[in-house]
Amino acid sequence: CAAVCLSNAESNWKQILMIFNCSSTPCSAELPDGKWQVLVDGTSSFRWQEEIFLDAECTISPNSALILASVS
């Protein structure tokens, strides 16, 4: 897995965390402190409408990306 965290101070989502999994198997990653909303995952780019939240660890599907937004 590879991850990038971007500052997004001009938005309601102050930080955006993008985690990429180029492997053919799922990978897990520890999240920075706080509450994170799932915006996009390997299945849908509309997860932000579902209000799914994570706070400690996540699993990224094979050959996909997970995009999260800090909400705390």
Side-chain angles (χ1 to χ4, degrees):
C1 288
V4 175
C5 190
L6 304 171
S7 176
N8 195 31
E10 300 299 319
S11 169
N12 291 338
W13 297 320
K14 301 301 179 202
Q15 290 185 351
I16 302 291
L17 178 61
M18 299 180 293
I19 307 171
F20 303 95
N21 180 6
C22 296
S23 170
S24 59
T25 59
C27 71
S28 22
E30 288 187 34
L31 299 174
D33 290 339
K35 186 175 178 182
W36 294 87
Q37 181 178 356
V38 178
L39 304 181
V40 174
D41 66 12
T43 305
S44 174
S45 61
F46 291 96
R47 294 289 184 219
W48 57 275
Q49 295 176 338
E50 300 175 29
E51 296 189 7
I52 301 167
F53 298 95
L54 305 172
D55 61 6
E57 190 172 307
C58 62
T59 300
I60 302 89
S61 299
N63 301 309
S64 68
L66 179 66
I67 301 176
L68 308 171
S70 174
V71 293
S72 62

